[in-house]
Amino acid sequence: EDAHTIAVTSSGSMYAWGCGQCGQLGLAVEDEARIADDDWGQRTAPERVSSVPGQQRWVYVACGDRYSSALTDDGGLSTWGYGGMGEL
């Protein structure tokens, strides 16, 4: 119910699905508002991660409990989602 998945494509884009109640899907702000009203923010189909800053080429992503993190091809790191326990 509260799990999420993010995949990185060969072109460096990210797509997310699953539970997004805490922003861990990385969707645009208007999508996050829609998610807050949904059943635990469930997304059953992949949606492009759009709220992570920059136009980087993503090469690695990891999903934690209500948060996500990703690395770019030039070594940059981004994290998003719930950080109330210092995860981010």
PDB file of all heavy atoms in Angstrom, residues 55-85:
ATOM      1  N   GLN A  55      17.944  19.610 -15.544  1.00  0.00           N
ATOM      2  CA  GLN A  55      17.710  18.789 -16.728  1.00  0.00           C
ATOM      3  C   GLN A  55      18.774  17.711 -16.830  1.00  0.00           C
ATOM      4  O   GLN A  55      19.276  17.415 -17.895  1.00  0.00           O
ATOM      5  CB  GLN A  55      17.722  19.685 -17.973  1.00  0.00           C
ATOM      6  CG  GLN A  55      16.672  20.756 -17.979  1.00  0.00           C
ATOM      7  CD  GLN A  55      15.281  20.155 -18.034  1.00  0.00           C
ATOM      8  OE1 GLN A  55      15.023  19.201 -18.748  1.00  0.00           O
ATOM      9  NE2 GLN A  55      14.375  20.709 -17.245  1.00  0.00           N
ATOM     10  N   GLN A  56      19.127  17.121 -15.717  1.00  0.00           N
ATOM     11  CA  GLN A  56      20.197  16.137 -15.681  1.00  0.00           C
ATOM     12  C   GLN A  56      19.813  14.837 -16.373  1.00  0.00           C
ATOM     13  O   GLN A  56      18.655  14.535 -16.591  1.00  0.00           O
ATOM     14  CB  GLN A  56      20.566  15.809 -14.221  1.00  0.00           C
ATOM     15  CG  GLN A  56      21.112  16.949 -13.449  1.00  0.00           C
ATOM     16  CD  GLN A  56      20.030  17.721 -12.707  1.00  0.00           C
ATOM     17  OE1 GLN A  56      18.854  17.618 -12.986  1.00  0.00           O
ATOM     18  NE2 GLN A  56      20.441  18.516 -11.762  1.00  0.00           N
ATOM     19  N   ARG A  57      20.849  14.084 -16.652  1.00  0.00           N
ATOM     20  CA  ARG A  57      20.672  12.709 -17.133  1.00  0.00           C
ATOM     21  C   ARG A  57      20.849  11.820 -15.908  1.00  0.00           C
ATOM     22  O   ARG A  57      21.933  11.716 -15.336  1.00  0.00           O
ATOM     23  CB  ARG A  57      21.709  12.396 -18.192  1.00  0.00           C
ATOM     24  CG  ARG A  57      21.652  10.996 -18.718  1.00  0.00           C
ATOM     25  CD  ARG A  57      22.541  10.856 -19.958  1.00  0.00           C
ATOM     26  NE  ARG A  57      23.007   9.517 -20.211  1.00  0.00           N
ATOM     27  CZ  ARG A  57      22.254   8.467 -20.492  1.00  0.00           C
ATOM     28  NH1 ARG A  57      20.970   8.566 -20.499  1.00  0.00           N
ATOM     29  NH2 ARG A  57      22.802   7.301 -20.751  1.00  0.00           N
ATOM     30  N   TRP A  58      19.770  11.183 -15.492  1.00  0.00           N
ATOM     31  CA  TRP A  58      19.788  10.343 -14.291  1.00  0.00           C
ATOM     32  C   TRP A  58      20.340   8.967 -14.633  1.00  0.00           C
ATOM     33  O   TRP A  58      20.054   8.417 -15.689  1.00  0.00           O
ATOM     34  CB  TRP A  58      18.380  10.226 -13.726  1.00  0.00           C
ATOM     35  CG  TRP A  58      17.808  11.573 -13.419  1.00  0.00           C
ATOM     36  CD1 TRP A  58      16.914  12.277 -14.170  1.00  0.00           C
ATOM     37  CD2 TRP A  58      18.139  12.408 -12.308  1.00  0.00           C
ATOM     38  NE1 TRP A  58      16.661  13.498 -13.584  1.00  0.00           N
ATOM     39  CE2 TRP A  58      17.398  13.592 -12.433  1.00  0.00           C
ATOM     40  CE3 TRP A  58      18.975  12.269 -11.210  1.00  0.00           C
ATOM     41  CZ2 TRP A  58      17.477  14.637 -11.518  1.00  0.00           C
ATOM     42  CZ3 TRP A  58      19.051  13.297 -10.297  1.00  0.00           C
ATOM     43  CH2 TRP A  58      18.320  14.464 -10.448  1.00  0.00           C
ATOM     44  N   VAL A  59      21.162   8.405 -13.726  1.00  0.00           N
ATOM     45  CA  VAL A  59      21.762   7.100 -13.986  1.00  0.00           C
ATOM     46  C   VAL A  59      21.444   6.081 -12.905  1.00  0.00           C
ATOM     47  O   VAL A  59      21.598   4.881 -13.120  1.00  0.00           O
ATOM     48  CB  VAL A  59      23.297   7.217 -14.160  1.00  0.00           C
ATOM     49  CG1 VAL A  59      23.625   8.009 -15.419  1.00  0.00           C
ATOM     50  CG2 VAL A  59      23.961   7.828 -12.936  1.00  0.00           C
ATOM     51  N   TYR A  60      21.020   6.536 -11.732  1.00  0.00           N
ATOM     52  CA  TYR A  60      20.745   5.617 -10.625  1.00  0.00           C
ATOM     53  C   TYR A  60      19.678   6.224  -9.737  1.00  0.00           C
ATOM     54  O   TYR A  60      19.691   7.437  -9.490  1.00  0.00           O
ATOM     55  CB  TYR A  60      22.021   5.371  -9.807  1.00  0.00           C
ATOM     56  CG  TYR A  60      21.818   4.400  -8.676  1.00  0.00           C
ATOM     57  CD1 TYR A  60      21.838   3.028  -8.906  1.00  0.00           C
ATOM     58  CD2 TYR A  60      21.595   4.853  -7.387  1.00  0.00           C
ATOM     59  CE1 TYR A  60      21.639   2.132  -7.871  1.00  0.00           C
ATOM     60  CE2 TYR A  60      21.392   3.963  -6.350  1.00  0.00           C
ATOM     61  CZ  TYR A  60      21.417   2.607  -6.598  1.00  0.00           C
ATOM     62  OH  TYR A  60      21.208   1.723  -5.565  1.00  0.00           O
ATOM     63  N   VAL A  61      18.772   5.400  -9.231  1.00  0.00           N
ATOM     64  CA  VAL A  61      17.742   5.866  -8.318  1.00  0.00           C
ATOM     65  C   VAL A  61      17.544   4.826  -7.222  1.00  0.00           C
ATOM     66  O   VAL A  61      17.723   3.622  -7.459  1.00  0.00           O
ATOM     67  CB  VAL A  61      16.416   6.157  -9.061  1.00  0.00           C
ATOM     68  CG1 VAL A  61      15.822   4.897  -9.652  1.00  0.00           C
ATOM     69  CG2 VAL A  61      15.417   6.853  -8.157  1.00  0.00           C
ATOM     70  N   ALA A  62      17.235   5.302  -6.025  1.00  0.00           N
ATOM     71  CA  ALA A  62      16.937   4.423  -4.892  1.00  0.00           C
ATOM     72  C   ALA A  62      15.678   4.926  -4.202  1.00  0.00           C
ATOM     73  O   ALA A  62      15.485   6.134  -4.044  1.00  0.00           O
ATOM     74  CB  ALA A  62      18.101   4.412  -3.902  1.00  0.00           C
ATOM     75  N   CYS A  63      14.822   3.993  -3.805  1.00  0.00           N
ATOM     76  CA  CYS A  63      13.573   4.327  -3.119  1.00  0.00           C
ATOM     77  C   CYS A  63      13.648   3.852  -1.677  1.00  0.00           C
ATOM     78  O   CYS A  63      13.969   2.690  -1.421  1.00  0.00           O
ATOM     79  CB  CYS A  63      12.402   3.645  -3.805  1.00  0.00           C
ATOM     80  SG  CYS A  63      12.171   4.145  -5.515  1.00  0.00           S
ATOM     81  N   GLY A  64      13.368   4.767  -0.760  1.00  0.00           N
ATOM     82  CA  GLY A  64      13.318   4.424   0.655  1.00  0.00           C
ATOM     83  C   GLY A  64      11.897   4.510   1.160  1.00  0.00           C
ATOM     84  O   GLY A  64      10.941   4.569   0.383  1.00  0.00           O
ATOM     85  N   ASP A  65      11.735   4.525   2.457  1.00  0.00           N
ATOM     86  CA  ASP A  65      10.420   4.625   3.081  1.00  0.00           C
ATOM     87  C   ASP A  65       9.949   6.071   3.027  1.00  0.00           C
ATOM     88  O   ASP A  65      10.391   6.895   3.818  1.00  0.00           O
ATOM     89  CB  ASP A  65      10.498   4.126   4.522  1.00  0.00           C
ATOM     90  CG  ASP A  65       9.152   4.152   5.206  1.00  0.00           C
ATOM     91  OD1 ASP A  65       8.116   4.071   4.527  1.00  0.00           O
ATOM     92  OD2 ASP A  65       9.137   4.261   6.451  1.00  0.00           O
ATOM     93  N   ARG A  66       9.115   6.421   2.057  1.00  0.00           N
ATOM     94  CA  ARG A  66       8.547   7.758   1.864  1.00  0.00           C
ATOM     95  C   ARG A  66       9.558   8.781   1.338  1.00  0.00           C
ATOM     96  O   ARG A  66       9.370   9.971   1.480  1.00  0.00           O
ATOM     97  CB  ARG A  66       7.864   8.262   3.127  1.00  0.00           C
ATOM     98  CG  ARG A  66       6.703   7.374   3.554  1.00  0.00           C
ATOM     99  CD  ARG A  66       6.024   7.897   4.764  1.00  0.00           C
ATOM    100  NE  ARG A  66       6.893   7.676   5.913  1.00  0.00           N
ATOM    101  CZ  ARG A  66       6.686   8.183   7.106  1.00  0.00           C
ATOM    102  NH1 ARG A  66       5.652   8.929   7.348  1.00  0.00           N
ATOM    103  NH2 ARG A  66       7.523   7.935   8.087  1.00  0.00           N
ATOM    104  N   TYR A  67      10.639   8.346   0.754  1.00  0.00           N
ATOM    105  CA  TYR A  67      11.595   9.274   0.127  1.00  0.00           C
ATOM    106  C   TYR A  67      12.296   8.567  -1.027  1.00  0.00           C
ATOM    107  O   TYR A  67      12.246   7.345  -1.154  1.00  0.00           O
ATOM    108  CB  TYR A  67      12.625   9.803   1.127  1.00  0.00           C
ATOM    109  CG  TYR A  67      13.602   8.757   1.608  1.00  0.00           C
ATOM    110  CD1 TYR A  67      14.830   8.596   0.984  1.00  0.00           C
ATOM    111  CD2 TYR A  67      13.296   7.946   2.689  1.00  0.00           C
ATOM    112  CE1 TYR A  67      15.725   7.633   1.417  1.00  0.00           C
ATOM    113  CE2 TYR A  67      14.186   6.985   3.127  1.00  0.00           C
ATOM    114  CZ  TYR A  67      15.392   6.829   2.488  1.00  0.00           C
ATOM    115  OH  TYR A  67      16.274   5.874   2.902  1.00  0.00           O
ATOM    116  N   SER A  68      12.935   9.351  -1.888  1.00  0.00           N
ATOM    117  CA  SER A  68      13.680   8.824  -3.032  1.00  0.00           C
ATOM    118  C   SER A  68      14.960   9.623  -3.200  1.00  0.00           C
ATOM    119  O   SER A  68      15.053  10.772  -2.760  1.00  0.00           O
ATOM    120  CB  SER A  68      12.850   8.947  -4.316  1.00  0.00           C
ATOM    121  OG  SER A  68      11.608   8.298  -4.184  1.00  0.00           O
ATOM    122  N   SER A  69      15.938   9.027  -3.843  1.00  0.00           N
ATOM    123  CA  SER A  69      17.182   9.731  -4.149  1.00  0.00           C
ATOM    124  C   SER A  69      17.684   9.240  -5.506  1.00  0.00           C
ATOM    125  O   SER A  69      17.408   8.115  -5.907  1.00  0.00           O
ATOM    126  CB  SER A  69      18.231   9.496  -3.061  1.00  0.00           C
ATOM    127  OG  SER A  69      18.465   8.115  -2.884  1.00  0.00           O
ATOM    128  N   ALA A  70      18.396  10.116  -6.203  1.00  0.00           N
ATOM    129  CA  ALA A  70      18.897   9.762  -7.531  1.00  0.00           C
ATOM    130  C   ALA A  70      20.232  10.446  -7.798  1.00  0.00           C
ATOM    131  O   ALA A  70      20.494  11.539  -7.304  1.00  0.00           O
ATOM    132  CB  ALA A  70      17.881  10.158  -8.601  1.00  0.00           C
ATOM    133  N   LEU A  71      21.053   9.767  -8.603  1.00  0.00           N
ATOM    134  CA  LEU A  71      22.361  10.283  -9.023  1.00  0.00           C
ATOM    135  C   LEU A  71      22.333  10.630 -10.504  1.00  0.00           C
ATOM    136  O   LEU A  71      21.712   9.929 -11.301  1.00  0.00           O
ATOM    137  CB  LEU A  71      23.442   9.232  -8.804  1.00  0.00           C
ATOM    138  CG  LEU A  71      23.828   8.910  -7.376  1.00  0.00           C
ATOM    139  CD1 LEU A  71      24.796   7.729  -7.351  1.00  0.00           C
ATOM    140  CD2 LEU A  71      24.435  10.115  -6.701  1.00  0.00           C
ATOM    141  N   THR A  72      23.047  11.701 -10.844  1.00  0.00           N
ATOM    142  CA  THR A  72      23.180  12.097 -12.248  1.00  0.00           C
ATOM    143  C   THR A  72      24.471  11.529 -12.822  1.00  0.00           C
ATOM    144  O   THR A  72      25.350  11.075 -12.086  1.00  0.00           O
ATOM    145  CB  THR A  72      23.206  13.622 -12.391  1.00  0.00           C
ATOM    146  OG1 THR A  72      24.367  14.119 -11.721  1.00  0.00           O
ATOM    147  CG2 THR A  72      21.962  14.260 -11.797  1.00  0.00           C
ATOM    148  N   ASP A  73      24.591  11.597 -14.129  1.00  0.00           N
ATOM    149  CA  ASP A  73      25.793  11.085 -14.782  1.00  0.00           C
ATOM    150  C   ASP A  73      27.038  11.900 -14.468  1.00  0.00           C
ATOM    151  O   ASP A  73      28.154  11.434 -14.656  1.00  0.00           O
ATOM    152  CB  ASP A  73      25.593  10.973 -16.297  1.00  0.00           C
ATOM    153  CG  ASP A  73      25.308  12.296 -16.974  1.00  0.00           C
ATOM    154  OD1 ASP A  73      25.066  13.307 -16.289  1.00  0.00           O
ATOM    155  OD2 ASP A  73      25.303  12.312 -18.221  1.00  0.00           O
ATOM    156  N   ASP A  74      26.864  13.125 -13.939  1.00  0.00           N
ATOM    157  CA  ASP A  74      28.033  13.931 -13.557  1.00  0.00           C
ATOM    158  C   ASP A  74      28.272  13.914 -12.038  1.00  0.00           C
ATOM    159  O   ASP A  74      29.023  14.728 -11.517  1.00  0.00           O
ATOM    160  CB  ASP A  74      27.913  15.361 -14.078  1.00  0.00           C
ATOM    161  CG  ASP A  74      26.740  16.119 -13.477  1.00  0.00           C
ATOM    162  OD1 ASP A  74      25.980  15.547 -12.669  1.00  0.00           O
ATOM    163  OD2 ASP A  74      26.588  17.304 -13.824  1.00  0.00           O
ATOM    164  N   GLY A  75      27.613  12.989 -11.319  1.00  0.00           N
ATOM    165  CA  GLY A  75      27.851  12.819  -9.889  1.00  0.00           C
ATOM    166  C   GLY A  75      26.947  13.618  -8.975  1.00  0.00           C
ATOM    167  O   GLY A  75      27.123  13.589  -7.756  1.00  0.00           O
ATOM    168  N   GLY A  76      25.967  14.333  -9.507  1.00  0.00           N
ATOM    169  CA  GLY A  76      25.040  15.091  -8.680  1.00  0.00           C
ATOM    170  C   GLY A  76      24.064  14.177  -7.957  1.00  0.00           C
ATOM    171  O   GLY A  76      23.742  13.082  -8.420  1.00  0.00           O
ATOM    172  N   LEU A  77      23.589  14.614  -6.807  1.00  0.00           N
ATOM    173  CA  LEU A  77      22.645  13.852  -6.000  1.00  0.00           C
ATOM    174  C   LEU A  77      21.429  14.710  -5.699  1.00  0.00           C
ATOM    175  O   LEU A  77      21.562  15.876  -5.321  1.00  0.00           O
ATOM    176  CB  LEU A  77      23.296  13.421  -4.684  1.00  0.00           C
ATOM    177  CG  LEU A  77      22.379  12.774  -3.645  1.00  0.00           C
ATOM    178  CD1 LEU A  77      21.890  11.414  -4.132  1.00  0.00           C
ATOM    179  CD2 LEU A  77      23.113  12.638  -2.325  1.00  0.00           C
ATOM    180  N   SER A  78      20.237  14.144  -5.861  1.00  0.00           N
ATOM    181  CA  SER A  78      18.991  14.803  -5.482  1.00  0.00           C
ATOM    182  C   SER A  78      18.200  13.854  -4.602  1.00  0.00           C
ATOM    183  O   SER A  78      18.213  12.646  -4.817  1.00  0.00           O
ATOM    184  CB  SER A  78      18.146  15.156  -6.710  1.00  0.00           C
ATOM    185  OG  SER A  78      18.737  16.215  -7.418  1.00  0.00           O
ATOM    186  N   THR A  79      17.513  14.417  -3.609  1.00  0.00           N
ATOM    187  CA  THR A  79      16.630  13.635  -2.755  1.00  0.00           C
ATOM    188  C   THR A  79      15.305  14.362  -2.655  1.00  0.00           C
ATOM    189  O   THR A  79      15.258  15.590  -2.752  1.00  0.00           O
ATOM    190  CB  THR A  79      17.224  13.454  -1.336  1.00  0.00           C
ATOM    191  OG1 THR A  79      17.417  14.732  -0.739  1.00  0.00           O
ATOM    192  CG2 THR A  79      18.541  12.710  -1.377  1.00  0.00           C
ATOM    193  N   TRP A  80      14.220  13.636  -2.454  1.00  0.00           N
ATOM    194  CA  TRP A  80      12.899  14.255  -2.322  1.00  0.00           C
ATOM    195  C   TRP A  80      11.970  13.298  -1.582  1.00  0.00           C
ATOM    196  O   TRP A  80      12.233  12.118  -1.455  1.00  0.00           O
ATOM    197  CB  TRP A  80      12.339  14.623  -3.699  1.00  0.00           C
ATOM    198  CG  TRP A  80      12.166  13.491  -4.644  1.00  0.00           C
ATOM    199  CD1 TRP A  80      11.034  12.761  -4.855  1.00  0.00           C
ATOM    200  CD2 TRP A  80      13.160  12.915  -5.498  1.00  0.00           C
ATOM    201  NE1 TRP A  80      11.250  11.789  -5.779  1.00  0.00           N
ATOM    202  CE2 TRP A  80      12.551  11.865  -6.202  1.00  0.00           C
ATOM    203  CE3 TRP A  80      14.501  13.194  -5.747  1.00  0.00           C
ATOM    204  CZ2 TRP A  80      13.239  11.086  -7.130  1.00  0.00           C
ATOM    205  CZ3 TRP A  80      15.181  12.423  -6.666  1.00  0.00           C
ATOM    206  CH2 TRP A  80      14.550  11.390  -7.345  1.00  0.00           C
ATOM    207  N   GLY A  81      10.899  13.871  -1.062  1.00  0.00           N
ATOM    208  CA  GLY A  81       9.917  13.112  -0.284  1.00  0.00           C
ATOM    209  C   GLY A  81       9.922  13.547   1.163  1.00  0.00           C
ATOM    210  O   GLY A  81      10.221  14.705   1.467  1.00  0.00           O
ATOM    211  N   TYR A  82       9.638  12.637   2.070  1.00  0.00           N
ATOM    212  CA  TYR A  82       9.560  12.926   3.491  1.00  0.00           C
ATOM    213  C   TYR A  82      10.944  12.870   4.119  1.00  0.00           C
ATOM    214  O   TYR A  82      11.667  11.896   3.958  1.00  0.00           O
ATOM    215  CB  TYR A  82       8.643  11.912   4.181  1.00  0.00           C
ATOM    216  CG  TYR A  82       8.543  12.089   5.669  1.00  0.00           C
ATOM    217  CD1 TYR A  82       7.787  13.131   6.200  1.00  0.00           C
ATOM    218  CD2 TYR A  82       9.188  11.230   6.541  1.00  0.00           C
ATOM    219  CE1 TYR A  82       7.690  13.305   7.567  1.00  0.00           C
ATOM    220  CE2 TYR A  82       9.087  11.392   7.904  1.00  0.00           C
ATOM    221  CZ  TYR A  82       8.336  12.432   8.410  1.00  0.00           C
ATOM    222  OH  TYR A  82       8.233  12.606   9.756  1.00  0.00           O
ATOM    223  N   GLY A  83      11.300  13.919   4.842  1.00  0.00           N
ATOM    224  CA  GLY A  83      12.614  13.962   5.480  1.00  0.00           C
ATOM    225  C   GLY A  83      12.541  14.252   6.965  1.00  0.00           C
ATOM    226  O   GLY A  83      13.489  14.760   7.544  1.00  0.00           O
ATOM    227  N   GLY A  84      11.434  13.943   7.607  1.00  0.00           N
ATOM    228  CA  GLY A  84      11.236  14.258   9.018  1.00  0.00           C
ATOM    229  C   GLY A  84      12.162  13.547   9.981  1.00  0.00           C
ATOM    230  O   GLY A  84      12.297  13.953  11.129  1.00  0.00           O
ATOM    231  N   MET A  85      12.817  12.498   9.549  1.00  0.00           N
ATOM    232  CA  MET A  85      13.736  11.762  10.416  1.00  0.00           C
ATOM    233  C   MET A  85      15.184  11.913   9.934  1.00  0.00           C
ATOM    234  O   MET A  85      16.044  11.111  10.273  1.00  0.00           O
ATOM    235  CB  MET A  85      13.354  10.276  10.441  1.00  0.00           C
ATOM    236  CG  MET A  85      11.916  10.034  10.896  1.00  0.00           C
ATOM    237  SD  MET A  85      11.594  10.600  12.566  1.00  0.00           S
ATOM    238  CE  MET A  85      12.131   9.200  13.478  1.00  0.00           C
TER     239      MET A  85
END
